Amino acid sequence: LDESISSKKMSFVHLNVYDLFNWQVGLLNNVAWSLWGAGAFHVGLQIYGYEYAFGGRDRGIDGSGITHCKPRCCPKHSFRESLCLGVTSLSKQEVDELLHEVAPDWSVQAYETLGPNCV
């Protein structure tokens, strides 16, 4: 497994969790999470050295709402934690092809701040 990952035939997949906007929201999230098990979060999926996310402002892959940035460095939000989801056997090229395939279904216009696209 380590050899496959180091040779980039496989990749760990991480869910990077952010407090929406800034650290002040993080303080509110801490209280809301302890009281109600809820909060205001943004997430990105990290794979092959990139972090992919869906949003309603910036256009990304093929004009969709899927954008990418350096892992754990989303410029609009405050990084909270990373959760390892496991390993993918998809190659980098297969991941890229999959993103282009699903991009039309993830338009900027379809984004809803509190809608079903949120985790």
Side-chain angles (χ1 to χ4, degrees), residues 30-88:
N30 290 339
V31 172
W33 189 259
S34 66
L35 294 175
W36 304 294
F41 302 99
H42 168 80
V43 297
L45 196 63
Q46 178 182 334
I47 184 168
Y48 285 110
Y50 292 94
E51 180 175 311
Y52 300 94
F54 176 56
R57 292 188 181 197
D58 299 325
R59 294 196 182 274
I61 296 170
D62 296 339
S64 73
I66 302 172
T67 59
H68 65 84
C69 66
K70 183 178 172 185
R72 303 178 183 184
C73 294
C74 182
K76 297 176 183 170
H77 307 291
S78 180
F79 178 74
R80 175 176 276 262
E81 66 180 309
S82 184
L83 306 168
C84 184
L85 301 179
V87 176
T88 181

